Each structure stands twice: as structure tokens, then as C-alpha cells.
Amino acid sequence: MRLALLGHRGKVGQMLGPALEAAGHEVRGIGPDDEIEVGGLDAAIDFTSPEAGEGNVRTCLEQGVHCVVGTTGLDLAPLGSLAEERGLVLFHAPNFALGAVLMMRFAAEAAAYMPRAEIIELHNEAKRDAPSGTAKATASLLGTEPPIHSVRLPGLVAHQEVLFGGEGQLLTIRHDTFSRQAFVPGVLLALEKLPTLPPGLTVGLDALL
Ligand code: NAP
């Protein structure tokens, strides 16, 4: 596919660009000082920031291009409406790591039997939004409005624990992302499935598995 990668010099972007090219895609990197010109490309991928992502995605949709969004902390509903109006796909995964999606599934299963839960999400200090998109998505899957604790420290990448407390027992479901390489297969899967998705917003790798 012919792709735009917004945020190609970021921590995720630096890893993702070469991985997309190795998978046979053609990648046009777009940084904060570049004009967004994506008309005619097959899709745009955004891994930028909560401040920049919304405008970036809107511009790409206005230029008629499907979007795969990794940036978290965005108000996606209006962008989803715009995508639907234009007959375009807007796909967002709060977490592109497959293990994290499984962690959320297993947590949802456990919540049916152990409803008292709390979530601890731990990320690198550079992550601006808190709680993380994954923590919010997990909380809504549990349906019990569990408290979320956010940790931001150097050395961390992306980690989450869901703790279930019961009389005399504790169940912990934990996922660790040690390298941003973990996000690559999820982005490749989203690109592969783009033609099968309906116009408008689709959220979560779960929808593709
Ligand atoms: P990062 O290292 O800060 O990288 C962001 C990049 O975006 C930087 O190179 C930045 O350039 C660039 N940028 C800023 N404004 C831009 C604009 N208007 N147009 C194009 N590029 C722009 O952050 P990161 O760790 O790669 O993460 C990026 C985003 O993805 C964050 O929101 C993070 O939470 C999210 N994320 C999501 C997942 C997931 O699985 N969904 C996984 C990891 C991260 P400058 O540095 O020059 O400003």
C-alpha cells in the first residue's frame, strides 16, 4: 500500500516506518513541520500527540484517505462522523499490541466472577495523556467503573495490571510491552483489514481478530 506515516520520527514512528517498508509498503513520512499532502495514498497512519492527532486525522480524511490511528487521547467521535460522511474507514486501537488485547479479554472474563477490580497502568514519562487509552478501554469492558492508577516513569514502555480482589485471594492479569516492536503486527493487521471495515469509526484490534 502507499501510506503516509504522521509522526515518523517519534518513538513509535521510527520503529514502524522501516517495519512497514520491510512488509512491502511504500511510506511517506510526515513530521510536524511538513505540509500534509496525502491525496491519492491508500491510507494514513498517525502516531503523533493528543494535540496534533485530531487536526492531522481531519486533514487526511478531508483529502479522502482512510486513517489508522495509534495516537491516544483524541476525541474520535466527530472524526468518525466525518469519515462516515466521506465513505472512509477510521480505525483506532488504544493498544496495537496483541497481548494487551488478550489481557483486556481475560480481564473482562474475570470481572464476571470477581467484580472488585482496580487498574494500574504504567507508561514512560513522555506519555502525556492519563489514564491511558488502554486503561479506559479495559475499564469500560469491565463495566464496574474500576479506579485507574497512572504511573509515569523513565524506563517504562507500556504496562498494565488489572487486579481483582476477593475474600482471601487476589488475581492479577498483567501485560508488559518491552519494545515498540510489539505494536507493528497490530498496525499491519489493521492495514490488511481496512478494505473489510465499514465506513466510519472502528475501535480496537478485537474487532479485527
Ligand atoms: P513521540 O515519541 O512523542 O512521537 C511523536 C512524534 O510526532 C514526534 O516525532 C513529533 O515530532 C511528531 N509530531 C508532533 N506533531 C506532529 C504533527 N502535527 N504532524 C506530524 N508529526 C507530528 O510519541 P510516541 O511514543 O511515538 O507516541 C505517539 C502517540 O502514539 C502517543 O499519543 C502515544 O500515546 C500513542 N501510542 C499509541 C500506541 C497504541 O498502541 N495505540 C502505542 C504507543 C504509543 P516532534 O518530536 O518534532 O514534535
Side-chain angles (χ1 to χ4, degrees):
M1 292 171 90
R2 295 173 64 230
L3 305 170
L5 176 58
L6 296 102
H8 66 303
R9 284 192 296 265
K11 289 186 286 299
V12 175
Q14 278 179 42
M15 172 75 69
L16 190 55
L20 290 169
E21 283 174 344
H25 297 291
E26 195 179 300
V27 180
R28 182 186 301 172
I30 298 179
D33 302 325
D34 298 326
E35 211 46 51
I36 300 179
E37 280 174 12
V38 295
L41 298 186
D42 298 310
I45 302 169
D46 189 281
F47 276 89
T48 58
S49 70
E51 296 77 23
E54 229 154 287
N56 286 350
V57 173
R58 180 168 293 280
T59 305
C60 293
L61 291 172
E62 281 168 351
Q63 293 182 18
V65 175
H66 303 296
C67 291
V68 172
V69 179
T71 306
T72 50
L74 304 185
D75 182 9
L76 289 166
L79 296 171
S81 305
L82 175 63
E84 200 173 348
E85 273 167 32
R86 306 270 169 132
L88 295 166
V89 175
L90 170 59
F91 178 79
H92 169 66
N95 199 320
F96 275 96
L98 183 59
V101 177
L102 294 174
M103 175 259 300
M104 288 191 260
R105 264 196 198 174
F106 299 154
E109 200 174 324
Y113 303 97
M114 299 182 76
R116 289 290 305 280
E118 301 211 3
I119 297 172
I120 307 175
E121 56 94 346
L122 310 93
H123 285 83
N124 189 268
E125 61 183 339
K127 183 173 175 63
R128 306 217 198 107
D129 53 317
S132 71
T134 302
K136 287 194 270 189
T138 309
S140 77
L141 274 179
L142 299 192
T144 51
E145 295 186 22
I148 302 174
H149 311 276
S150 298
V151 179
R152 296 287 177 269
L153 283 172
L156 296 170
V157 180
H159 317 261
Q160 179 166 294
E161 283 184 1
V162 189
L163 297 99
F164 296 90
E167 288 303 317
Q169 60 180 325
L170 177 74
L171 169 65
T172 303
I173 300 176
R174 180 175 173 116
H175 177 259
D176 293 283
T177 304
F178 298 117
S179 146
R180 290 172 181 86
Q181 195 72 43
F183 305 124
V184 173
V187 175
L188 290 173
L189 179 69
L191 291 171
E192 184 194 319
K193 299 280 184 178
L194 268 188
T196 68
L197 295 176
L201 177 64
T202 300
V203 176
L205 276 189
D206 231 15
L208 310 182
L209 294 173

